[in-house]
Amino acid sequence: GESVGLHLPTLSVQEGDNSIINCAYSNSASDYFIWYKQESGKGPQFIIDIRSNMDKRQGQRVTVLLNKTVKHLSLQIAATQPGDSAVYFCAETSYGNNRLAFGKGNQVVVIP
Amino acid sequence: KAGVTQTPRYLIKTRGQQVTLSCSPISGHRSVSWYQQTPGQGLQFLFEYFSETQRNKGNFPGRFSGRQFSNSRSEMNVSTLELGDSALYLCASSLDSGQETQYFGPGTRLLVL
């Protein structure tokens, strides 16, 4: 991915296992959160989002958990597949604002 | 629907030159945002355009500018290029300017020599 730079946190996971990616966000006023996946040579791809009036949201094989008390966001991927290998970014923004603030990214490597 | 498209995909320029990048949003999307991605700084917001008006601006120098046309297509311009402007420039579109999901294009890779 494009943000594979210095000291990008890396999660190595066996194919078929579950993955958990964590993100600490910075702005307590943020109320909309998004997870993106970026594969090498591509732009970020939307995975799932959550608003601050929820603490959990599920999609296809993915679940996002939001803990506003400690400003923490996580992405759970069930039954991780080789195609899940990518860099994952969390992003935050506040109401009425399209300006996304991105986290540094987490590299996920799926071991076949 | 076709996704967000960006042209050109790759570009090589020399210091001091200027460059214009183009973005066509998803059909029906009126908001276009631009981001710069580098290994050191990650993804950083440049600016957002909605209905041909700049609605939000990030912390970049005035050398970085943009505009949006009536068909929602957008361009960004970087003047007096510096080596540090080498980056992947990403465009994202959304339905409007109010926290709708943003969809990204593949980016334009700019290398400044």
Side-chain angles (χ1 to χ4, degrees), chain A residues 1-6 29-34 36 38 41-46 49 51 87 89 93-104, chain B residues 9-10 31 33 35 37-45 48 55-59 88 90 94 96-107 109:
Chain A
E2 295 303 336
S3 270
V4 178
L6 298 175
S30 294
D31 59 0
Y32 179 53
F33 307 88
I34 314 102
Y36 285 94
Q38 188 174 27
K42 297 183 179 180
Q45 175 189 352
F46 171 84
D49 59 2
R51 299 190 186 273
V87 177
F89 294 95
T93 188
S94 54
Y95 179 76
N97 190 340
N98 255 0
R99 175 178 181 161
L100 293 176
F102 283 84
K104 292 296 184 185
Chain B
R9 293 292 313 278
Y10 304 93
S31 171
S33 297
Y35 294 82
Q37 187 174 29
T38 59
Q41 299 299 317
L43 279 147
Q44 293 186 292
F45 174 81
E48 181 211 0
R55 293 295 295 267
N56 212 334
K57 189 177 189 305
N59 301 321
L88 181 69
L90 292 158
S94 63
D96 62 23
S97 186
Q99 278 191 338
E100 298 288 338
T101 302
Q102 292 186 46
Y103 297 91
F104 283 82
R109 166 70 66 188

Side-chain angles (χ1 to χ4, degrees), chain B residues 5-112:
Chain B
T5 58
Q6 292 186 246
T7 57
R9 293 292 313 278
Y10 304 93
L11 207 49
I12 300 175
K13 292 285 186 179
T14 56
R15 278 185 303 171
Q17 288 187 308
Q18 74 165 13
V19 67
T20 298
L21 312 181
S22 181
C23 171
S24 292
I26 293 171
S27 178
H29 285 194
R30 297 167 63 192
S31 171
V32 174
S33 297
W34 288 89
Y35 294 82
Q36 182 197 64
Q37 187 174 29
T38 59
Q41 299 299 317
L43 279 147
Q44 293 186 292
F45 174 81
L46 279 157
F47 28 65
E48 181 211 0
Y49 286 87
F50 177 74
S51 292
E52 302 178 65
T53 302
Q54 188 180 85
R55 293 295 295 267
N56 212 334
K57 189 177 189 305
N59 301 321
F60 280 81
R63 300 185 297 107
F64 292 81
S65 63
R67 59 178 176 168
Q68 186 179 35
F69 302 94
S70 59
N71 62 357
S72 294
R73 190 177 69 86
S74 177
E75 289 180 347
M76 68 162 282
N77 183 276
V78 188
S79 62
T80 319
L81 284 166
E82 300 176 0
L83 296 179
D85 297 333
S86 295
L88 181 69
Y89 289 89
L90 292 158
C91 166
S93 78
S94 63
L95 276 172
D96 62 23
S97 186
Q99 278 191 338
E100 298 288 338
T101 302
Q102 292 186 46
Y103 297 91
F104 283 82
T108 294
R109 166 70 66 188
L110 172 64
L111 177 62
V112 182

